Amino acid sequence: MEDVIDFIKKHHMIKSGEIIGVACSGGRDSICLLHFLNSIKEQLDFEVVAVNVDHGIRQNSALDTQFVVDFCKQHGIRSYKFKGEALRVAKEEKLTVEQAARKVRYGIFETVIKKGLVDKIALAHHMNDQAETILLNIIRGTGLSGARGMEPVRDEIYIRPFLNTDRAEIMAYLDEHSLEYVEDESNQDNSFSRNYIRNVVMPSIRKHFGVIDRNIVNFASICAKDDDYINSQINMGTMIETADTVKIPLSYFYQDEAIVNRILRKVLSKFSRHDIESKHIRIVKDFALESQNGNMITLPFKIKVLKEYDFIVFGNIKKKVVTGEYPFRSGKLKVDGYGIIRSTSSKVLTEPKIHQHIIDADRLPTKAVWRFRKEGDVFSPLGLGGSKKLKDYFIDKKIPQRMRGEIPVLAVDNKVLIVGDIEISDEIKVTDKTIHFYKINYEKDLI
């Protein structure tokens, strides 16, 4: 197992003083990893704890959890145990049991990391798992990025010390140290895609071609190098990202297909840990190039995709509706659902700053109120010398429909005098006769 230590060092998996949580189901691979890391913790100066997740799928899962707890007590290892509800998640979110179990498991891992119970999670995937994953990804049509397989280190928190270790070495280690482990009966259920690859496909391939796992993994290494180079040619500088959405220019979709595919995989992976398949990429590309402005589709895993003028928007897309009226006044005004509007009276004219309007205070009607758009609103944009429906103005300015309801307007009845932080009406513009100004500044909430 000296090669494992070298592999850990090569990929900088563990830093001195870190707490490494080993994802331990009680099966042979995770028991081997837990025992091995515990045996080298002084050598590399880190702490080991076990993290067990009972997915609530199998009848004997509680017994497996107890086995892990007892194993940890026997070897002086601290342990945490958690209960998940994969079957409920699968039903509610229309996922396969495999997908739901993975979501539950990684949700718990992220929680223990956020709470500071561990610094990283060690996963017991080994070389044979890697070969199976690569083959499964190819079958699913995940492209070159899927053919590269699992990463030794992902997101700087998930580490796979055994990824270059053969299953035979793990079995030899278990025998050498007389380590017991539990057998998960669901591993024999070939209705699960991975089990079918592991129990049926891979043995058949090995029977005809010999031990090919290492060759598949070497192939993945070549794919990874090519994939890294292509990814280095991608410029995501004009991507606009918020907490709920990612917005990319429509022009991205006219680049080379290899670039477009990677851009979409990168964007979609922000919203789903599930495998992004070629069919999902193809659906988005066709939608971007062929659909009409304002159209929206929903991908699997509840990812929404919206065509919005010259952009394609991904994520949790919601149409925000804000209400409320606020009489115009000097000073700071907190507008619920928008942010701060600050109006300052002045007799000195200056050049407008960013996020600022300057108007003729004497031409502003006393009954003006800040509110949000209503049906029948009209607006006379600065310098155009005529009025139009506010809806038509928004269309002309390419203001996304989903965002129009959250833009404050200053209005008297149905006459709009200011479209907040965008434009003022010709009726309140500053002229050479203006002696009294209002300087209006806008501070939109970040969320």
Side-chain angles (χ1 to χ4, degrees), residues 35 37 47 118 148 200 228 237 261 359-360 386 403 412 442:
H35 187 275
L37 290 183
E47 183 182 349
V118 302
R148 66 187 293 156
V200 179
D228 286 340
N261 290 347
I359 65 172
D360 187 323
M403 299 173 63
V412 176
Y442 305 92

Side-chain angles (χ1 to χ4, degrees), residues 412-423:
V412 176
D413 298 325
N414 285 337
K415 181 187 292 185
V416 173
L417 302 170
I418 299 178
V419 180
D421 205 15
I422 298 177
E423 193 162 3

Side-chain angles (χ1 to χ4, degrees), residues 156-426:
E156 299 184 355
I157 55 176
Y158 296 105
I159 63 175
R160 297 183 172 98
F162 281 175
L163 202 56
N164 201 43
T165 303
D166 189 88
R167 182 182 290 121
E169 294 180 68
I170 292 173
M171 295 303 297
Y173 183 92
L174 292 169
D175 289 340
E176 179 185 352
H177 295 276
S178 301
L179 297 177
E180 295 183 357
Y181 53 88
V182 296
E183 292 281 4
D184 182 346
E185 63 270 20
S186 68
N187 286 339
Q188 304 307 313
D189 184 353
N190 292 334
S191 64
F192 294 120
S193 299
R194 179 171 290 278
N195 288 349
Y196 183 77
I197 293 289
R198 176 176 298 158
N199 300 330
V200 179
V201 176
M202 291 298 287
S204 180
I205 294 175
R206 293 188 189 107
K207 181 178 179 180
H208 286 83
F209 298 101
V211 180
I212 45 75
D213 300 74
R214 177 69 66 180
N215 289 342
I216 293 176
V217 171
N218 288 340
F219 163 75
S221 178
I222 296 170
C223 290
K225 290 183 175 64
D226 290 350
D227 195 39
D228 286 340
Y229 173 75
I230 299 174
N231 284 328
S232 71
Q233 306 305 302
I234 298 175
N235 176 19
M236 297 291 285
T238 52
M239 180 177 75
I240 302 170
E241 190 170 357
T242 69
D244 297 318
T245 62
V246 172
K247 188 174 178 180
I248 62 175
L250 187 60
S251 59
Y252 277 16
F253 290 84
Y254 294 97
Q255 299 184 62
D256 186 270
E257 187 173 356
I259 300 296
V260 177
N261 290 347
R262 281 165 175 77
I263 289 173
L264 292 179
R265 288 188 188 281
K266 185 173 183 178
V267 171
L268 293 173
S269 66
K270 291 180 179 292
F271 302 102
S272 174
R273 289 194 177 278
H274 301 293
D275 295 326
I276 304 302
E277 300 179 26
S278 294
K279 63 182 179 181
H280 303 139
I281 301 297
R282 186 171 59 254
I283 288 170
V284 175
K285 287 193 292 188
D286 291 345
F287 172 78
L289 297 175
E290 298 174 8
S291 67
Q292 299 297 314
N293 175 56
N295 286 359
M296 185 164 66
I297 58 174
T298 302
L299 296 177
F301 323 127
K302 300 181 180 180
I303 304 174
K304 293 182 179 179
V305 186
L306 169 68
K307 189 167 188 177
E308 201 168 73
Y309 294 107
D310 298 326
F311 291 88
I312 301 296
V313 186
F314 302 79
N316 184 19
I317 301 167
K318 297 178 181 178
K319 185 177 180 181
K320 189 174 180 181
V321 178
V322 188
T323 59
E325 288 193 359
Y326 308 82
F328 181 90
R329 58 179 175 81
S330 292
K332 175 182 175 181
L333 176 65
K334 178 70 174 74
V335 179
D336 292 337
Y338 175 77
I340 302 295
I341 299 177
R342 196 183 307 271
S343 303
T344 306
S345 178
S346 176
K347 292 185 178 181
V348 178
L349 181 62
T350 57
E351 285 293 322
K353 300 177 182 178
I354 187 170
H355 303 302
Q356 182 186 72
H357 286 141
I358 300 179
I359 65 172
D360 187 323
D362 294 322
R363 300 175 72 184
L364 181 67
T366 57
K367 294 183 179 180
V369 297
W370 288 106
R371 59 169 174 80
F372 296 88
R373 70 174 183 144
K374 294 180 179 179
E375 190 66 32
D377 280 347
V378 294
F379 181 55
S380 301
L382 182 65
L384 293 188
S387 65
K388 61 173 64 180
K389 292 180 179 179
L390 183 61
K391 176 182 177 180
D392 293 337
Y393 171 78
F394 281 143
I395 293 173
D396 292 344
K397 296 290 286 187
K398 293 187 175 182
I399 305 296
Q401 186 176 16
R402 65 188 172 92
M403 299 173 63
R404 295 171 192 171
E406 59 184 274
I407 299 172
V409 299
L410 185 66
V412 176
D413 298 325
N414 285 337
K415 181 187 292 185
V416 173
L417 302 170
I418 299 178
V419 180
D421 205 15
I422 298 177
E423 193 162 3
I424 67 171
S425 167
D426 213 52

